[in-house]
Amino acid sequence: MYNPIKDGINKKYQSVTYNEQSPPDDLKEYVHSYWEIKTHVKLEDDFILHVIPDACINILFNLLDTNIAAITYRHTDYVALNLGKSFHYTGIQLYPGVWHGDFNEVIFGFVDSPYLGNLPLIETAKKIKNSKFHDFNPIFSELVRFLISKEFVRKNSITEKILSDLETIESVEDMAASVNLSARQLQRKLKETTGFSPHNFLKILRLQQSFRNHYLDLYVDQSHFIHNFKKITGYTPKEYFKNFDV
């Protein structure tokens, strides 16, 4: 199954921790992980999180201010988010394509405004605020099951099949054939459910695969790999692995 990497945390920050846990079995078709990133002490400098595109939707909570929450996603290139000197964020990472709620509610970039929507995000944040991360699982799972019951989260047969066939897909044409759609149909369906064109969707998935597999399995040659890697992440592979904990 698709396994995107965590966002780039610079190795120089020893007082920032990232934790991740798997959802229960009945939610594993919808949720990649529950995650948390936080400071243990106030940092001397602002912390910059290097966010890498993964085509996932995240339900984000700010536990230092439980009124701040959002449904978020990433574009096709990296973004550097300034999280400040002290922070505690947590969230639910949904697989590509399973979000079927209001896309007008989805935010790109830094989230610093109170949540004004109708979903129980603030109530969820208040439930977990004073808990340890390992106790978040049942509370997050309750929210996901609520979203499923309202069909804001549901299976996407197209992205599910693409992700399951990812090892053998080498082109947009392969992707369309995998889901038995024409290129035009795939364009429309993917745009509706992920916000990405087939070309950009494949570009993101291929980058994520490159962290787990040898680049020659995914790209024509080394120069092609380095060019695409740097365009999306802002770094060459050597620079990225030198600077960030992967």
Side-chain angles (χ1 to χ4, degrees), residues 87-104:
F87 53 85
H88 187 181
Y89 292 98
T90 187
I92 301 167
Q93 185 177 31
L94 301 172
Y95 279 115
V98 304
W99 174 257
H100 286 78
D102 185 357
F103 270 89
N104 292 322

Side-chain angles (χ1 to χ4, degrees), residues 1-239:
M1 193 61 178
Y2 182 49
N3 188 22
I5 66 161
K6 65 184 179 182
D7 290 322
I9 299 175
N10 197 296
K11 293 177 180 179
K12 71 179 181 180
Y13 291 102
Q14 301 300 313
S15 297
V16 175
T17 59
Y18 175 86
N19 297 304
E20 189 175 286
Q21 55 182 305
S22 297
D25 288 346
D26 65 308
L27 299 180
K28 286 184 176 179
E29 293 176 301
Y30 308 94
V31 178
H32 171 260
S33 64
Y34 302 143
W35 56 267
E36 172 191 60
I37 184 170
K38 66 177 183 177
T39 51
H40 293 288
V41 297
K42 189 172 182 178
L43 305 176
E44 292 184 5
D45 303 308
D46 287 352
F47 174 81
I48 308 299
L49 182 66
H50 200 77
V51 178
I52 300 297
D54 56 18
C56 295
I57 290 280
N58 275 271
I59 305 173
L60 174 75
F61 306 92
N62 181 345
L63 295 189
L64 296 188
D65 183 346
T66 54
N67 288 314
I68 296 176
I71 312 297
T72 71
Y73 87 119
R74 297 96 179 265
H75 285 168
T76 54
D77 297 327
Y78 81 93
V79 62
L81 296 182
N82 187 332
L83 302 188
K85 296 179 175 65
S86 182
F87 53 85
H88 187 181
Y89 292 98
T90 187
I92 301 167
Q93 185 177 31
L94 301 172
Y95 279 115
V98 304
W99 174 257
H100 286 78
D102 185 357
F103 270 89
N104 292 322
E105 200 171 313
V106 180
I107 295 173
F108 169 77
F110 186 66
V111 177
D112 60 356
S113 302
Y115 176 69
L116 301 176
N118 297 318
L119 300 177
L121 303 191
I122 294 175
E123 295 89 330
T124 299
K126 289 178 178 178
K127 287 180 183 178
I128 61 176
K129 180 175 173 58
N130 296 313
S131 302
K132 299 293 186 182
F133 179 62
H134 59 76
D135 295 323
F136 289 10
N137 202 303
I139 299 169
F140 278 163
S141 298
E142 178 185 17
L143 174 61
V144 175
R145 292 187 182 104
F146 168 79
L147 295 174
I148 292 171
S149 73
K150 298 296 183 181
E151 296 196 339
F152 297 140
V153 169
R154 65 176 188 265
K155 286 186 181 180
N156 183 325
S157 60
I158 293 173
T159 53
E160 186 176 41
K161 186 70 167 70
I162 290 170
L163 295 178
S164 68
D165 291 350
L166 199 51
E167 295 299 324
T168 59
I169 289 174
E170 297 182 358
S171 65
V172 171
E173 289 74 20
D174 289 344
M175 189 186 294
S178 171
V179 294
N180 199 29
L181 292 174
S182 68
R184 185 182 294 274
Q185 289 172 319
L186 180 64
Q187 171 83 20
R188 179 173 57 82
K189 293 284 189 181
L190 270 186
K191 197 71 175 177
E192 284 176 357
T193 58
T194 70
F196 297 104
S197 69
H199 174 76
N200 284 336
F201 192 60
L202 181 58
K203 182 169 68 172
I204 292 168
L205 300 184
R206 192 170 277 161
L207 170 79
Q208 288 289 339
Q209 280 182 291
S210 74
F211 284 97
R212 313 283 187 192
N213 303 306
H214 194 282
Y215 68 86
L216 284 180
D217 295 334
L218 307 163
Y219 296 89
V220 174
D221 53 37
Q222 186 180 41
S223 62
H224 183 224
F225 166 58
I226 293 173
H227 172 78
N228 281 273
F229 190 99
K230 186 170 184 178
K231 187 176 187 304
I232 299 175
T233 69
Y235 291 84
T236 66
K238 183 177 180 180
E239 291 168 340

